[in-house]
């Protein structure tokens, strides 16, 4: 279909292996992704037990694809991920202040340590870049976002599973 898909965007809040091909051959996906109003940069995983160079590499890949897609004329919203305090320096680097960014709460709510790391990272994100708007994919988390506008998007996989 060559028609634009109005009012929609594309996210990559799925297992990394499912979108590794976009990193390997990004040019193959330009025409497909260009049909959407916006694209979120890929959410390559950052785990606390992952070596920092690998975490940096995954942030680099996300930002590099976002830049590539922007050069192709797409509207790109950066996805922000972090693991722990050691990742903040590169996880939040290069993000525009007062902009719109996307984050995920998948895998956070039912894990006390993950929830605490998410809250600390979110505080740091708000402190460093003061986003105008947050797009949050996943279940809402009780958190004071201050003056930042927040829009939650349900995890459609979980929503479908709950409907079974």
């Amino acid at each position: 279909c060559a028609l634009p898909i109005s009012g929609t965007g594309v996210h990559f809040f799925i297992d990394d292996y499912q979108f590794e091909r976009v990193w390997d051959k990004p040019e193959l996906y330009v025409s497909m992704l260009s049909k959407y109003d916006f694209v979120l940069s890929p959410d390559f995983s950052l785990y606390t037990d992952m070596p920092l160079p690998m975490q940096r590499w995954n942030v680099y890949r996300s930002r590099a694809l976002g830049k590539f897609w922007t050069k192709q004329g797409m509207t790109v919203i950066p996805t922000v991920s972090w693991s722990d305090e050691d990742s903040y320096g590169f996880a939040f680097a290069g993000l525009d202040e007062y902009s719109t960014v996307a984050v995920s709460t998948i895998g956070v709510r039912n894990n006390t340590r993950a929830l605490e790391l998410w809250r600390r990272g979110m505080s740091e994100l708000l402190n460093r870049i003061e986003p105008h708007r947050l797009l949050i994919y996943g279940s809402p988390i009780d958190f004071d976002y201050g003056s930042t506008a927040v829009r939650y998007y349900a995890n459609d996989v979980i929503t479908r599973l709950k409907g079974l």
Side-chain angles (χ1 to χ4, degrees):
C1 167
L3 297 173
I5 302 170
S6 183
T8 59
V10 175
H11 71 78
F12 292 88
F13 294 121
I14 54 178
D15 291 329
D16 293 15
Y17 78 89
Q18 295 186 52
F19 58 85
E20 216 29 79
R21 62 184 171 260
V22 176
W23 169 252
D24 292 337
K25 296 188 179 176
E27 63 283 349
L28 294 180
Y29 298 91
V30 169
S31 64
M32 178 192 343
L33 294 173
S34 294
K35 295 174 186 171
Y36 294 87
D37 290 332
F38 64 91
V39 177
L40 302 184
S41 62
D43 183 40
F44 289 104
S45 297
L46 302 184
Y47 300 111
T48 55
D49 62 350
M50 181 184 277
L52 283 176
M54 289 178 69
Q55 291 183 44
R56 281 189 191 94
W57 174 243
N58 279 347
V59 170
Y60 166 78
R61 295 193 306 159
S62 177
R63 301 278 166 67
L65 282 171
K67 184 170 182 109
F68 173 75
W69 292 333
T70 298
K71 286 184 174 186
Q72 304 305 309
M74 293 181 224
T75 298
V76 177
I77 297 171
T79 297
V80 186
S81 299
W82 56 88
S83 59
D84 56 23
E85 291 82 1
D86 292 337
S87 69
Y88 296 168
F90 56 86
F92 306 135
L95 298 171
D96 292 335
E97 289 182 322
Y98 318 114
S99 61
T100 297
V101 297
V103 300
S104 171
T105 63
I106 305 301
V108 171
R109 289 185 51 152
N110 297 325
N111 181 311
T112 304
R113 181 167 185 261
L115 181 58
E116 180 58 29
L117 290 171
W118 188 91
R119 287 176 193 263
R120 285 187 205 161
M122 180 55 68
S123 292
E124 193 67 22
L125 172 68
L126 294 175
N127 225 13
R128 289 190 187 205
I129 70 162
E130 300 179 56
H132 169 70
R133 180 179 297 114
L134 279 171
L135 307 181
I136 302 179
Y137 184 79
S139 300
I141 289 180
D142 184 32
F143 188 85
D144 181 4
Y145 298 98
S147 63
T148 301
V150 176
R151 173 132 188 221
Y152 280 97
Y153 294 88
N155 176 349
D156 51 350
V157 173
I158 298 300
T159 302
R160 283 195 308 268
L161 288 173
K162 286 181 178 177
L164 293 178

